[in-house]
Amino acid sequence: MEEVLRSLGLFKPEIALTAGLLLVVIVDSIGGAWRNGAVRILSIATLAVALGYAVELQVAGAQGAIFSGMLTVDPLGSFFKIILVLASLLIITAFTFRAARELHGLGQGEFHALILALTLSNLLLAGANDIVMLYLALEMVSITSYVMVAYLKGDRMSNEASLKYLLFGAVSTGGMLYGLSLLYGLTGTTSLPGIREVLATGVPGPQLALYLATLLIVVGFGFKIAAVPFHFWCPDVYQGAATPVTALLSVAPKAAGFGIAVRFFFGTFAVPVTGTWDLSGVIDWQLLLVVISVATMTLGNVAALTQNNMKRLLAYSSIAHAGYILMGIVALSDVGARSLLIYLFAYLFMNLGAFLVVTLVHLHDGTFDLRDYPGLYRRAPLLTLAMGLFMLSLIGIPPLVGFLGKLYVFGAVVNMGSGYYWYAAVGAVNAAIAGFYYLRVLKVMFIDAGNEDKPPLKLAFVDRAWLLFFAAANLLPVLFWSRIDEWARGAVVLYTGR
Amino acid sequence: MTAADYVFWVFATATVVSGAVVVFARSLIYSAFALLFTFFGVAGLYVLLGADFLAATQLLIYVGGILVLLLFGVMLTHRIYDLKLRTEKTQLGPGLIVAAGIFIIFANAALITEWPTVGREPAPTTKEIGRLFLGEYLLAFEAASVLLLVALIGAAMIVRRKKDA
Amino acid sequence: MIGLSHYLIVSAALLSLGILGLLTRRNAVNVLMSIELILNSANVNLVAFSRFGAGNLDGQVFAVFVIVVAAAEVAVALAIVLTMYRLRRTPNLDDADILRG
């Protein structure tokens, strides 16, 4: 009982989200014309409170295992919690039902309940410290995502996307489950620190089962972060889902997946030494992840070159970014973990900004096709300039946040020694390839002639304000860089006890 | 061989053979009924492994819940008077090779690995599992209830027609 | 004497049958059945390890959660399959092909 009471004190963000979720469900079922507004305000308040609690945990530097070792609270987890809650908050506030044409006429109650449930699941996943909790949270994130992708009922693309997502996801997590079962068999425990302790002393006899378990677990993580070759669902799902859902999926579950991947690969499959980690046992998972990372960034960027649908283009771009972020895990050091945190932080603002522009163009013109974008600069200068900023940030042009993310990630890889210079070079070449399609978007919007007959876009005041907010979020962080660096540095503390 | 060993072979054969029927049957209805026997076979294996609570759960949720849902799926997505209920199969050859390869690798891993052998004598588990649910696994237990709530809301929302929203 | 490896081989057989089903079947409900085979194979592993290997009940508790997750997943999956059937009168995955590129 005391254990539970102690745990609840470190569990406030999740409690707030659960309470908010239940309230939203109840309010929505009461009915009445006012419920849509009430549900929205309630959700925003819930997320704001959860964000406050997450920041409080981070500032306090709270550490420890809670709920009998089911979850871990540590600065790293708190950092992820802040990013995850912030992502949901930005989606609910910036991507309104008014701004997203696809959502017009659909019920708001379930949408907000699902966002809160997804946020809760993300937080549980990012803090999981036991393979039972890891599997359960992973499935909670996945199942909530399937439902959110299917939200546009009656829309064939949304339906098809959710079916593909579900079948692919169920297979991947099923494979991961088999891997986890082998890991349980090898170590006799479900607790991640317990598994580390056993693996650190080595598994006797042939290692085949351990390799298989590692491989299958990588499949599960690969699916969650859309790494090649487990990315097939990604473009279809991003295209089929409503744009706010796509924007959320491109950031939040991915960040949660990276959160648990760091915890798993650093805290379970490696042993901490000062400032770095040593591989435990005999699995060279670093090599496996290097291969996956290189394939992911290359395939994502090359496939994005030929896309005309903006949602698909951003889907392939997000696959490529997952490849860069994986570099932070491969580095297997404090520097690597810090670069991953900073990249995710930067990615949140640049990607959500780009998706907001896509949403607004769809609201006014009803199109996601890049070939309908010419002349946009004449019709909506502010929107186009903002998009320009987001694209340059995604390429990694200084002084935007995207540049800082790339700087840290490549730096972490270079730090590993000369054996990995080629890896950083591959990343740099990829960033150059990525420049082509991002700049193509800019060229179409700024230079190409077309749509002369269409009137200027009349953006609502709120939408303008949000565009400015995201633009500022991409431009300004460089001014406070030393503080953000310090924050991330302080956040790279993994609690690895039971 | 002891009597328990014979029982194992019966359940193991039932599980694997009916599992094969699930995959190879030409009619969806046959697949669904074969799946019933697979679930029964697995429940039998649980009993032999001393997992009484889990065996009961398997029967209640898998046979009583999931299988019935799947049967609904079969019936609702086919016109019932269409007696054939054929499903299309493709790529049998390569599929067989991949599946055989996977079986060989995993069976090999099962045989050569030096698994820990602490072991646990079969004893009634229900009380202990109940204690674990409300003790060590309390959080997972509560999280599972949120998962079921989401699935409930989600499934109801997806099948409702657009007009009613 | 029946031991751990017997159960693990049954589980490996179920796993490979499930994967065979995934590779060869084109009906969404059938694919779901194959996924259930995979989940069951993992559960057999967990329970067998709990009995012979680890000697604790964690594996059995894990298996119970897997069953709960499977139920939730199938409920959502069937809702989506039913909607798909309503929208285009087929449960076959090859006909789900408007998202490409």
Side-chain angles (χ1 to χ4, degrees):
Chain A
M1 200 61 213
E2 270 171 34
E3 158 78 3
V4 173
L5 289 177
R6 184 187 65 84
S7 303
L8 286 176
L10 296 170
F11 197 59
K12 286 182 195 157
E14 288 87 347
I15 296 174
L17 288 169
T18 316
L21 165 67
L22 295 178
L23 274 177
V24 165
V25 172
I26 292 168
V27 167
D28 185 53
S29 57
I30 292 173
W34 46 275
R35 68 176 168 174
N36 280 345
V39 159
R40 192 172 132 78
I41 291 169
L42 202 56
S43 309
I44 293 176
T46 305
L47 287 167
V49 170
L51 186 63
Y53 280 136
V55 171
E56 187 192 326
L57 280 180
Q58 165 83 44
V59 170
Q63 278 196 51
I66 57 174
F67 292 111
S68 322
M70 282 291 120
L71 285 187
T72 301
V73 175
D74 55 15
L76 186 96
S78 307
F79 190 101
F80 275 104
K81 281 175 192 173
I82 292 173
I83 289 190
L84 292 168
V85 178
L86 192 61
S88 301
L89 189 59
L90 288 174
I91 293 288
I92 291 195
T93 45
F95 295 70
T96 53
F97 268 62
R98 176 191 52 76
R101 186 192 266 211
E102 299 144 299
L103 294 175
H104 288 181
L106 291 175
Q108 296 201 13
E110 288 125 346
F111 189 82
H112 287 92
L114 288 170
I115 286 202
L116 293 180
L118 183 67
T119 317
L120 172 67
S121 325
N122 279 334
L123 296 197
L124 291 177
L125 180 59
N129 195 32
D130 186 290
I131 55 177
V132 176
M133 199 62 222
L134 192 163
Y135 174 75
L136 194 63
L138 193 78
E139 287 284 13
M140 285 174 72
V141 174
S142 304
I143 292 175
T144 320
S145 313
Y146 308 150
V147 177
M148 290 190 77
V149 172
Y151 204 77
L152 305 176
K153 46 197 157 185
D155 180 278
R156 282 172 152 216
M157 283 213 283
S158 163
N159 176 251
E160 181 178 323
S162 66
L163 185 63
K164 282 184 179 171
Y165 195 14
L166 187 141
L167 294 179
F168 204 82
V171 174
S172 312
T173 48
M176 185 186 199
L177 173 67
Y178 202 90
L180 292 175
S181 77
L182 291 179
L183 203 56
Y184 168 69
L186 282 166
T187 59
T189 172
T190 57
S191 132
L192 292 184
I195 291 172
R196 184 189 68 238
E197 281 160 22
V198 176
L199 290 185
T201 59
V203 176
Q207 309 285 317
L208 180 59
L210 186 56
Y211 286 126
L212 290 174
T214 313
L215 206 64
L216 287 171
I217 290 165
V218 169
V219 171
F221 288 142
F223 160 72
K224 212 63 252 164
I225 62 176
V228 174
F230 319 108
H231 66 286
F232 294 108
W233 57 273
C234 185
D236 289 352
V237 167
Y238 283 19
Q239 186 184 349
T243 322
V245 174
T246 308
L248 183 60
L249 290 186
S250 76
V251 183
K254 218 170 233 198
F258 277 112
I260 187 64
V262 170
R263 198 175 291 290
F264 199 84
F265 286 113
F266 283 37
T268 310
F269 272 18
V271 182
V273 190
T274 339
T276 175
W277 274 265
D278 278 348
L279 289 178
S280 73
V282 286
I283 329 157
D284 190 5
W285 52 260
Q286 264 177 312
L287 186 68
L288 181 66
L289 288 194
V290 168
V291 173
I292 290 179
S293 154
V294 167
T296 303
M297 60 177 96
T298 312
L299 194 137
N301 281 324
V302 170
L305 288 173
T306 55
Q307 298 302 323
N308 281 317
N309 182 300
M310 280 305 286
K311 281 161 99 178
R312 281 189 95 81
L313 188 144
L314 287 173
Y316 281 110
S317 129
S318 87
I319 294 176
H321 282 281
Y324 303 133
I325 300 174
L326 269 175
M327 289 175 140
I329 298 185
V330 172
L332 191 62
S333 61
D334 279 353
V335 185
R338 186 169 84 228
S339 72
L340 185 142
L341 296 182
I342 287 176
Y343 205 111
L344 280 173
F345 180 73
Y347 184 67
L348 175 69
F349 291 114
M350 50 197 188
N351 217 37
L352 288 190
F355 270 113
L356 183 60
V357 171
V358 172
T359 310
L360 292 177
V361 172
H362 184 250
L363 172 68
H364 293 277
D365 282 3
T367 178
F368 290 119
D369 198 322
L370 184 57
R371 286 165 296 194
D372 294 326
Y373 276 40
L376 213 53
Y377 178 62
R378 186 179 45 76
R379 298 173 55 214
L382 174 73
L383 179 109
T384 316
L385 284 172
M387 186 62 159
L389 209 60
F390 304 143
M391 289 291 129
L392 293 178
S393 193
L394 283 164
I395 299 178
I397 303 283
L400 301 166
V401 275
F403 164 71
L404 294 158
K406 284 220 171 58
L407 188 71
Y408 273 83
V409 171
F410 291 166
V413 170
V414 170
N415 242 349
M416 293 170 70
S418 53
Y420 283 91
Y421 286 173
W422 68 273
Y423 185 30
V426 169
V429 169
N430 261 290
I433 300 177
F436 280 106
Y437 59 84
Y438 292 129
L439 290 177
R440 184 171 144 243
V441 175
L442 291 193
K443 175 183 154 286
V444 170
M445 293 174 84
F446 281 97
I447 301 172
D448 285 7
N451 294 322
E452 310 295 346
D453 47 331
K454 287 196 188 162
L457 259 58
K458 288 201 184 63
L459 294 182
F461 173 75
V462 199
D463 295 338
R464 282 170 188 272
W466 277 112
L467 283 174
L468 284 175
F469 167 82
F470 278 110
N474 274 278
L475 259 176
L476 299 183
V478 74
L479 299 178
F480 313 102
W481 200 252
S482 57
R483 298 188 68 178
I484 295 177
D485 176 71
E486 215 173 288
W487 179 37
R489 195 180 292 265
V492 185
V493 178
L494 262 94
Y495 180 79
T496 51
R498 274 175 193 262
Chain B
M1 288 214 290
T2 64
D5 292 2
Y6 283 113
V7 178
F8 168 82
W9 288 113
V10 170
F11 282 129
T13 318
T15 306
V16 175
V17 170
S18 55
V21 175
V22 172
V23 177
F24 288 108
R26 303 192 58 186
S27 138
L28 257 181
I29 289 288
Y30 286 158
S31 288
F33 279 106
L35 197 60
L36 173 72
F37 288 101
T38 314
F39 290 156
F40 270 127
V42 171
L45 294 179
Y46 291 163
V47 172
L48 286 179
L49 286 165
D52 48 358
F53 177 77
L54 202 57
T57 313
Q58 168 93 1
L59 290 186
L60 285 176
I61 300 186
Y62 257 117
V63 179
I66 295 177
L67 192 72
V68 171
L69 266 180
L70 285 171
L71 276 172
F72 269 118
V74 173
M75 290 194 288
L76 290 175
T77 58
H78 286 84
R79 290 177 299 268
I80 294 174
Y81 49 83
D82 180 4
L83 282 176
K84 284 185 229 145
L85 296 183
R86 288 279 162 82
T87 68
E88 291 164 47
K89 262 192 296 192
T90 46
Q91 307 157 354
L92 189 59
L96 271 175
I97 295 170
V98 172
I102 287 174
F103 175 72
I104 291 168
I105 293 171
F106 278 91
N108 186 29
L111 290 174
I112 63 174
T113 306
E114 292 173 19
W115 304 101
T117 50
V118 182
R120 177 181 173 283
E121 281 313 303
T125 57
T126 312
K127 191 175 168 189
E128 184 64 9
I129 288 181
R131 202 192 57 74
L132 283 172
F133 273 147
L134 295 179
E136 261 182 71
Y137 288 92
L138 177 66
L139 181 68
F141 191 68
E142 299 297 334
S145 63
V146 176
L147 172 69
L148 290 175
L149 174 71
V150 169
L152 194 75
I153 296 175
M157 180 216 79
I158 292 170
V159 288
R160 213 189 310 151
R161 284 175 199 272
K162 196 175 178 180
K163 277 176 290 204
D164 321 336
Chain C
M1 183 63 197
I2 302 295
L4 178 63
S5 50
H6 292 82
Y7 288 95
L8 296 186
I9 287 174
V10 171
S11 146
L14 273 183
L15 174 74
S16 48
L17 282 171
I19 288 169
L20 181 63
L22 293 177
L23 294 173
T24 57
R25 303 319 282 266
R26 281 293 164 264
N27 183 297
V29 180
N30 229 314
V31 171
L32 284 175
M33 294 180 185
S34 304
I35 292 169
E36 295 309 325
L37 289 183
I38 296 180
L39 295 182
N40 268 280
S41 75
N43 268 0
V44 170
N45 263 358
L46 287 170
V47 179
F49 286 133
S50 163
R51 162 79 173 80
F52 294 108
N56 53 37
L57 282 177
D58 292 339
Q60 295 197 19
V61 174
F62 198 166
V64 174
F65 284 117
V66 173
I67 294 179
V68 172
V69 166
E73 206 164 53
V74 165
V76 172
L78 280 176
I80 296 171
V81 173
L82 284 187
T83 320
M84 175 177 165
Y85 186 73
R86 195 189 285 157
L87 287 172
R88 56 181 96 177
R89 299 276 131 200
T90 171
N92 276 355
L93 296 174
D94 284 345
D95 302 321
D97 59 355
I98 47 175
L99 288 166
R100 273 176 192 280

